[in-house]
Amino acid sequence: MTPDLARCVAEAYQVALPHRGQGRVADYIPALAKVDPNRFGFALALPDGTVHAAGDADIAFSIQSVSKVFTLALALRRVGSSLWDSVGREPSGSAFNSIVQLESEQGIPRNPLINAGAIATTDRLIDGRAGDAVIDEILDFIRARAGDDGVDIDRDVAASESETGARNRSLGYFMQAFDNLRHPVEAVTGVYFRQCAIAMSCRQLAKAGLFLAMEGRDPLTGEQLIDPHRARRINAIMMLCGHYDNSGEFAFRVGLPGKSGVGGGILCIAPGQGSIAVWSPGLNEAGTSLVGALALEHFAYAAGWSVFD
Ligand code: GLN
């Protein structure tokens, strides 16, 4: 039986709504600390162009680590499987900004969705180019998918990311010490800080993720953006690593590949079906939106969507 998806979205939103405000809003930079903890948006994008939305689905938020999915797709498209010389594909079981495994594993980060791995991925995506050209590529890609040229970087957030970025720079220097960085740390983190500062609404983000649900093809433009097997593999990595040391719990509860960011956004992919973006700023211990995960759990259950069916 085909589920009534509009109803599933409305129900998931209503079930999670009373929990708004729970969790801890990221406060390492002022621009994130001042976001209203009661914000909650939900958007489901379908391959036919339909979007079912609820709540604050049109308010832009800082996508933060959700950007790691897009740079991974672009880096794979640019340098192919040689990306895996620089970064692994195993869950880390540690915090998003952890440095410990880099020492025992010779400067090769566990996966592209933790900070160290995303910095290594951005390094490969740069591929000898100027930082501005790389940021333009990332923005152009996201804008085309979202069908919205208004998507942009929040300059305040980008500046704060850089001011508070000692730890991310340390990850870069540590990898450089092991010869696992091809460009200067400042060049790489310069792109990384800006990609984290991209601001998008749930509606835009859900549309931007659709290509991952459709074997690498943008169903809205018809373009084959990445090879189908690469889209499948990105989904596998999201499933196992998308929520840091909370990835097992998310897979257990939601059963779909996802990627969280400390801005409170989560992008969740239902292969063959659609793409979902949720946003609510209160985070759990691992930095995943508490209300967002709850809403996704209810939505996936109501729609009967799971990669394990
Ligand atoms: N900008 C944050 C950082 O690099 C992103 C972390 C996240 O969203 N988990 O630490």
Side-chain angles (χ1 to χ4, degrees), residues 28 64-65 68 96 115 161 168 192 196 244 261-262:
Y28 68 99
Q64 292 291 330
S65 285
K68 293 173 169 129
F96 63 86
N115 286 15
E161 290 290 337
N168 285 322
Y192 174 78
C196 287
Y244 320 111
V262 290

Side-chain angles (χ1 to χ4, degrees), residues 12-281:
Y13 180 77
Q14 287 305 330
V15 167
L17 196 63
H19 300 271
R20 265 187 327 173
Q22 288 179 9
R24 216 179 134 207
V25 177
D27 58 3
Y28 68 99
I29 58 175
L32 290 185
K34 69 173 191 231
V35 177
D36 178 356
N38 288 315
R39 289 289 185 199
F40 176 27
F42 194 113
L44 162 68
L46 299 173
D48 68 359
T50 312
V51 176
H52 297 294
D56 299 320
D58 289 301
I59 295 181
F61 60 90
S62 190
I63 69 166
Q64 292 291 330
S65 285
V66 180
S67 66
K68 293 173 169 129
V69 172
F70 297 107
T71 47
L72 172 59
L74 291 172
L76 279 170
R77 186 165 83 169
R78 188 161 186 99
V79 303
S81 301
S82 79
L83 177 68
W84 306 119
D85 299 339
S86 307
V87 61
R89 336 179 258 256
E90 293 294 344
S92 69
S94 21
F96 63 86
N97 54 7
S98 176
I99 200 166
V100 285
Q101 285 162 343
L102 275 185
E103 174 149 47
S104 52
E105 293 171 25
Q106 275 73 51
I108 305 290
R110 276 262 160 143
N111 67 69
L113 301 182
I114 50 174
N115 286 15
I119 291 166
T121 303
T122 294
D123 175 56
R124 296 299 306 277
L125 175 62
I126 292 175
D127 197 21
R129 296 178 291 170
D132 286 352
V134 181
I135 277 293
D136 283 349
E137 183 191 9
I138 299 168
L139 278 175
D140 285 349
F141 183 86
I142 290 178
R143 285 171 179 156
R145 311 284 76 72
D148 194 335
D149 284 343
V151 175
D152 215 338
I153 290 165
D154 181 323
R155 304 281 155 192
D156 282 349
V157 173
S160 300
E161 290 290 337
S162 182
E163 278 157 28
T164 58
R167 195 170 175 121
N168 285 322
R169 287 189 180 86
S170 305
L171 296 171
Y173 282 113
F174 214 78
M175 289 190 281
Q176 188 184 62
F178 281 101
D179 248 348
N180 188 27
L181 212 65
R182 302 182 180 203
H183 307 88
V185 171
E186 281 304 318
V188 181
T189 52
V191 175
Y192 174 78
F193 294 141
R194 283 184 283 168
Q195 75 182 56
C196 287
I198 294 173
M200 294 175 80
S201 68
C202 290
R203 185 184 301 272
Q204 292 165 336
L205 186 57
K207 283 161 88 176
L210 259 181
F211 75 104
L212 289 172
M214 303 312 291
E215 301 199 303
R217 200 175 65 89
D218 183 333
L220 308 178
T221 65
E223 266 174 278
Q224 188 72 43
L225 300 163
I226 53 170
D227 286 350
H229 80 277
R230 294 224 155 97
R232 246 173 265 143
R233 287 172 163 179
I234 293 171
N235 283 321
I237 294 169
M238 289 172 77
M239 189 74 175
L240 290 167
C241 318
H243 311 272
Y244 320 111
D245 44 343
N246 199 233
S247 299
E249 181 69 12
F250 190 89
F252 179 82
R253 285 173 49 194
V254 182
L256 295 170
K259 179 73 203 90
S260 58
V262 290
I266 307 175
L267 173 64
C268 192
I269 304 300
Q273 311 277 9
S275 162
I276 311 145
V278 289
W279 169 52
S280 192

